[in-house]
Amino acid sequence: MELQQDPTLLWFIAIYGIIMIGIGVFMSKKVAGSEDFVLAGKSLGPFVLMGTLLATWTGSGSISGGETSMAFSYGILPSLMMMLPTLVGIIILYVVAPKIREQGKFTVAGILEAKYGRTSRNIASVIIILAYVGIVSYQMKGFGFILNLTTGMTVQAGTMIGAAMIIFLAMIGGLRSVSQTDAISGFLMVGGLIITVPTIIMVAGGWSEIVANVPESHMSATGGLTTIQMIGYLLPSLFLLLGDQNMYQRLASSKGNKSAKRAQMGWLIAMIVISPSISLIAFASRSLFPDIDPGMALMATTVAMPIAIGGILLAAAASFIITTGNSYLLSAATNLTYDLYGKYVNKEASDKKLLTMTRIFIVALGIFAFVIITYFPTVLSVQMYAYTVYGAGLTPAILAVFFWKRVNAIGGVSSMIAGVVATLTWEVILQKPFEVNSVVVAVPVAVIVLIVATLMTTEKGSVYQAETQTS
């Protein structure tokens, strides 16, 4: 089937955009201070919290990279396996959530500082900002794909429009508005995907016809990938989710532990629907459009379906992208404000000043994200890189805070440095040998360093920790 643009679909995105902007402006009027802006006044109930967890986690990484690119490039089974890290991560966070709320911190860096000292906070802030700007950047490009598909607009121009929407919605009301737009978008995603799956299978001629039109390797367990390569695609999302500051901030924003638990159970159930749906749609797209960019697989199906269903799916795709982008942008700006600006530049900053600076940092980081996406050839490549920098650099040290009382400052800080160095060495210096993602090397290195450094320096670590926390 030939891929033809259908500008009519743009109306669905326009309507979605207008509604989101309207809600954002309305909710921004309720922002009373910096805690309202960053943690929504700790007022999120289970329904809104579930929606914002769902919408934040499922973004362009899923519909332009992740499940979509895996289904198109390697087959249905490897793509379905991409769901497993998310489900495992949600279950672990379910256990950790009460401890996250007890910390009462705005950022993950703040949690690390309480355990490991000031040095860990500084390192964590830099890691989070770099990783999150990367994640925001491919949300912008994902939106560019959508506008290119519907109108013929260049991906670059569409990316600029996506950047403007993401920056505006993050800046206008912070989590107070983002959580509301996320909740609506989350349920739009679920509904749009449920409608699309049977429709696109029917349009493609049925399951047997789809299977007949894809390479034989696409029906194998790993799609031609080696086991170690497959692991390299699965681990980054798991280790990002387990230490993701966005998730920590949202869980800290709930009304209480009961609301958080209900929201997480709803999130788990929704992901069991969403992730396989994306895989099936992208796999059907491989049969219909074998020559397109893998990152456009899901969105390409919108032009092959009835206009109403295609439009709903496209609006859902837009919601994936915008909600994830503004959430990660807001979170990165929070680090700049509270972990760097408030700690070193202006220690006496008023609440109003902190709120103003967060908004300024949102704009600055948003522009930076737009610039760096041009240096990565595919969404999947920047996704794996950003996930691993964060997952290897922070997650082992964060989980140790909650699960290993003996861990000390030297172990935590050493693990963070080792994770980042291992990632950069594998990706930049060695140029990713054997086409294996750096997570396979970087995470084990970070974990081993965490354990060994702690065990070898327990007494020294205790002294170091006491000194850093009182400095």
Side-chain angles (χ1 to χ4, degrees), residues 136-410:
V136 171
S137 72
Y138 65 74
Q139 310 305 318
M140 295 174 176
K141 191 167 187 177
F143 198 83
F145 280 149
I146 287 181
L147 294 187
N148 172 263
L149 176 70
T150 54
T151 68
M153 183 186 301
T154 65
V155 173
Q156 183 76 357
T159 302
M160 290 181 67
I161 294 174
M165 281 194 67
I166 288 170
I167 293 170
F168 177 79
L169 287 173
M171 181 188 68
I172 189 68
L175 191 59
R176 176 68 75 174
S177 61
V178 166
S179 61
Q180 304 299 318
T181 56
D182 278 4
I184 294 172
S185 298
F187 294 104
L188 174 62
M189 294 176 200
V190 175
L193 291 171
I194 288 175
I195 294 170
T196 299
V197 170
T199 305
I200 193 59
I201 291 176
M202 184 169 57
V203 168
W207 185 253
S208 60
E209 184 70 16
I210 293 172
V211 171
N213 289 334
V214 301
E216 187 176 342
S217 65
H218 279 42
M219 296 305 297
S220 67
T222 61
L225 292 167
T226 65
T227 301
I228 197 71
Q229 286 174 328
M230 191 68 230
I231 292 173
Y233 281 112
L234 295 177
L235 289 183
S237 57
L238 172 62
F239 279 88
L240 173 66
L241 178 55
L242 290 178
D244 192 344
Q245 180 171 273
N246 266 299
M247 304 305 141
Y248 283 44
Q249 287 177 329
R250 277 154 177 74
L251 292 172
S253 302
S254 67
K255 288 182 178 179
N257 290 332
K258 190 174 182 180
S259 292
K261 288 182 177 180
R262 288 179 176 177
Q264 286 172 282
M265 291 304 299
W267 179 24
L268 180 73
I269 294 169
M271 288 307 305
I272 293 174
V273 174
I274 284 181
S275 192
S277 297
I278 294 172
S279 298
L280 290 168
I281 295 167
F283 189 63
S285 182
R286 178 65 173 81
S287 171
L288 291 169
F289 309 109
D291 299 321
I292 62 173
D293 184 306
M296 297 185 72
L298 182 140
M299 289 175 281
T301 61
T302 60
V303 301
M305 293 185 291
I307 185 68
I309 296 176
I312 291 172
L313 177 61
L314 205 60
S319 70
F320 276 122
I321 291 166
I322 297 300
T323 54
T324 299
N326 58 36
S327 294
Y328 277 91
L329 186 57
L330 170 63
S331 194
T334 302
N335 280 101
L336 270 178
T337 300
Y338 292 94
D339 297 325
L340 298 178
Y341 176 81
K343 282 283 184 178
Y344 301 107
V345 179
N346 188 356
K347 295 181 180 180
E348 305 300 324
S350 65
D351 187 75
K352 183 178 180 180
K353 183 66 175 179
L354 292 173
L355 178 58
T356 300
M357 292 308 300
T358 302
R359 285 182 161 136
I360 291 173
F361 289 141
I362 285 172
V363 176
L365 291 177
I367 294 172
F368 182 43
F370 174 74
V371 171
I372 69 169
I373 190 57
T374 59
Y375 292 96
F376 286 86
T378 67
V379 167
L380 189 59
S381 65
V382 68
Q383 179 187 6
M384 293 297 106
Y385 174 76
Y387 281 17
T388 303
V389 166
Y390 192 102
L394 292 185
T395 301
I398 294 169
L399 293 180
V401 171
F402 301 117
F403 293 112
W404 193 25
K405 292 183 179 180
R406 186 175 177 179
V407 69
N408 61 29
I410 294 178

Side-chain angles (χ1 to χ4, degrees), residues 22-87:
I23 293 172
V25 171
F26 175 77
M27 294 304 299
S28 70
K29 300 179 187 298
K30 298 185 178 184
V31 175
S34 60
E35 183 173 294
D36 248 12
F37 193 82
V38 176
L39 296 179
K42 297 184 178 181
S43 64
L44 301 186
F47 186 81
V48 173
L49 182 58
M50 182 191 82
T52 192
L53 287 167
L54 172 64
T56 299
W57 180 245
T58 311
S60 185
S62 295
I63 65 168
S64 296
E67 292 95 324
T68 297
S69 290
M70 288 294 286
F72 190 93
S73 301
Y74 302 109
I76 187 63
L77 294 179
S79 181
L80 289 173
M81 282 193 282
M82 294 292 284
M83 172 178 63
L84 298 179
T86 297
L87 301 184

